[in-house]
Structure formats: structure tokens, C-alpha cells
Amino acid sequence: MPHRRLLSSAAALVLVLATAAPSIAQTPMDDPLDARDARRLDKMEKVVRELRAIVYQGRDSGKPVVVQPAETDFQIQELTRRVNDLEQVITRLNGQLETTSHDLDEARRALQASQAQEQSLTDRVTALEQRLAPPADDGGGEADGGQAAAATNASPGEAFSEARQLMLNGDYDAAERAWSAFVHAYGDTDKGPEGQYWYGKTLSARGAHADAATAYIGAVRGWPKTSWAPDATVELARELVALKKGPQACQALDQFSKRYPKAPSNVRSRAAATAAQAKCG
């Protein structure tokens, strides 16, 4: 067999070299070897040792001799493997990037839809406020003007405290006039929305549902993050139910759930009861 012939040839070569080596060593040489010849001799001895190891391995084991690939081939194989790994990583990252881009597009569309819905609701609230606004008359205008003039004699804080105290005293008629004057005089100040809220409370007490709803709309415009805003939203829904405007009441309650999820339990209970009255789905 070729394998056995290779082993026999290698063995013969080893035996020849082994036999000749002493003779070469005993032969006197006139000149020493130069450096290049010494290197060549070292390489030959290395080859002999490798051949001897191959011969002994085949003789002792009786199995085919496995010759390892050259170092360069091994490095090429290793680099090929690494390149394949990098290609798989790049493919996976491209897939993740496409998924992230799709999710971002979906989130952007959802945000635009939410903004459009909020703008639509704001427009509806504005239109409702305009429909609920009471018609102005000369007598009422003069009275409101007198109340506003009286309110300007005090600072916003003082006018707010005086109107609030009238409510605490149970004098709702005087409180209603005081809050009306406050809203006309200081409605555009920081305390203006809260003044609208308390003004709506006095109007609700005497059953002026349309005027109360208008006041509450002014209070919750912009959905402020204040302690009284959740109650003002529920009160607006209650007044809309009283005015037989169930769909608008349900819209207000829907915003209540979204804007004020941590509202006090008693306010959430009244919101649930109002939703049942309005037959919200």
C-alpha cells in the first residue's frame, strides 16, 4: 500500500542517515562550516527527527499518521471563521435596526393621532363653552363692572381669600358675587383658573348648570396638574349630564381617567357614578 511504502522509505532514509551520521562525524574536515551551512544542517536534522517520529508513530500504532495543517492554513481558516461570525452579527444587527425603526414609526404615528384627538377635544370644549356662555345684557354688564371695580380695590390674594371665606361661612350668594368679581378682575392671573373652579361651585349650588359648566370649562382649560383639577373635571361632567349632554360628559370623564389617574378615591367614585348616569360605554 502507498502508506506502507512511504513508511518503509522513510524508515530506510532514517536508517541511512543514522548510519551515515557517525561516519560524517568521524570524517575530518579542513574548514569549519559557515553559518549558512550550519542552518541547513539544523533543518536537515529537524526533518530527520520529524520523519523518525512519523515512522515510530505508524509502527507503534498501526494507524494512519495525521499531519496537522500548516500554520498559515490554520490562520486562514480561523480568519474565515471570524469573518463568518461578523457577517452573522451584522445580519442580526440589521434585523434589530429594522425592527427598532418600525417601532419608532408606529410610536410617531400614535403620538400624532393622540395630538389630533386632543386638539379635537379642545376644539369641542371651546365650542361648548361658547354655546353655554350666557347672553350679555346691559344690567348684568353694569353689575359685573361694579363687582370687578370693587375687586380691584384689593390685591388678587386678598380678593381670593375673601371670596373663599364667604364660601366657608355658607354665604353662597355673597360668595358667588365675590367669585364673579374675582374672575372678571383677575381671571388672567395664576389664580384665575382656581377662581373659575370656585365660581363654578357657587353656581352649581343654586342649580345654574349652564353657567357652572362654563366656569368649570375655564378652570380645566389646559388640564392643569393641581389638587382641585380632578374635582373640577368631574363637576363639569355632572353639569353636562344635568344639561342632557351625555356624550360631552363622557368625553370629559375619559380625559379625567387619562389626566388624573391618581385622583382621590372619593373623586373617582363620583366620576364612576357620573359615567353611569351619562351611560358612557
Side-chain angles (χ1 to χ4, degrees):
M1 296 177 65
H3 177 65
R4 292 183 178 178
R5 287 198 297 272
L6 175 60
L7 293 179
S8 299
S9 300
L13 177 60
V14 171
L15 293 176
V16 170
L17 292 175
T19 304
S23 300
I24 294 174
Q26 293 175 2
T27 302
M29 300 183 66
D30 297 335
D31 297 327
L33 295 175
D34 58 17
R36 186 177 58 182
D37 292 338
R39 288 194 298 271
R40 293 178 62 187
L41 182 58
D42 291 339
K43 290 181 179 179
M44 292 179 63
E45 291 178 351
K46 182 178 180 181
V47 171
V48 170
R49 287 194 297 270
E50 292 177 352
L51 289 173
R52 182 182 300 167
I54 292 173
V55 171
Y56 290 159
Q57 179 183 354
R59 185 191 64 185
D60 296 339
S61 64
K63 297 179 180 180
V65 178
V66 179
V67 180
Q68 297 296 335
E71 183 67 19
T72 301
D73 293 340
F74 176 76
Q75 291 178 353
I76 292 175
Q77 294 175 2
E78 183 67 15
L79 289 175
T80 301
R81 183 185 65 79
R82 292 182 180 180
V83 169
N84 291 336
D85 291 344
L86 287 176
E87 289 178 349
Q88 293 178 1
V89 171
I90 291 173
T91 301
R92 185 168 62 253
L93 290 176
N94 286 337
Q96 293 176 352
L97 182 60
E98 292 178 358
T99 301
T100 302
S101 178
H102 178 267
D103 292 343
L104 182 60
D105 291 339
E106 290 292 330
R108 186 181 294 110
R109 285 192 288 269
L111 177 61
Q112 292 174 351
S114 177
Q115 291 174 343
Q117 182 180 6
E118 182 173 349
Q119 183 60 43
S120 176
L121 180 60
T122 301
D123 294 341
R124 291 180 181 180
V125 169
T126 301
L128 180 61
E129 182 181 19
Q130 293 174 352
R131 290 198 300 270
L132 294 175
D137 61 306
D138 295 340
E142 292 177 0
D144 290 342
Q147 293 171 353
T152 55
N153 294 328
S155 66
E158 292 173 346
F160 186 93
S161 298
E162 291 174 0
R164 186 79 173 88
Q165 189 60 47
L166 289 172
M167 286 195 67
L168 294 176
N169 294 339
D171 191 352
Y172 285 100
D173 291 337
E176 179 182 339
R177 291 191 296 271
W179 285 123
S180 177
F182 178 87
V183 168
H184 281 83
Y186 307 115
D188 57 350
T189 64
D190 293 339
K191 278 290 189 180
E194 188 175 2
Q196 291 271 20
Y197 165 65
W198 291 114
Y199 182 38
K201 283 284 192 180
T202 60
L203 294 170
S204 296
R206 67 177 177 85
H209 302 301
D211 293 342
T214 300
Y216 289 132
I217 289 174
V220 301
R221 185 181 299 279
W223 310 108
K225 300 294 184 181
T226 61
S227 59
W228 51 265
D231 183 73
T233 307
V234 175
E235 289 298 319
L236 170 61
R238 286 163 57 87
E239 296 302 330
L240 291 172
V241 169
L243 293 169
K244 302 186 183 306
K245 296 183 179 295
Q248 291 88 340
C250 292
Q251 291 175 0
L253 292 172
D254 181 62
Q255 287 300 311
F256 167 81
S257 300
K258 293 179 180 179
R259 304 284 180 172
Y260 311 113
K262 297 182 180 180
S265 59
N266 62 323
V267 178
R268 285 187 276 115
S269 297
R270 288 183 19 253
T274 305
Q277 292 177 347
K279 298 181 180 180
C280 300

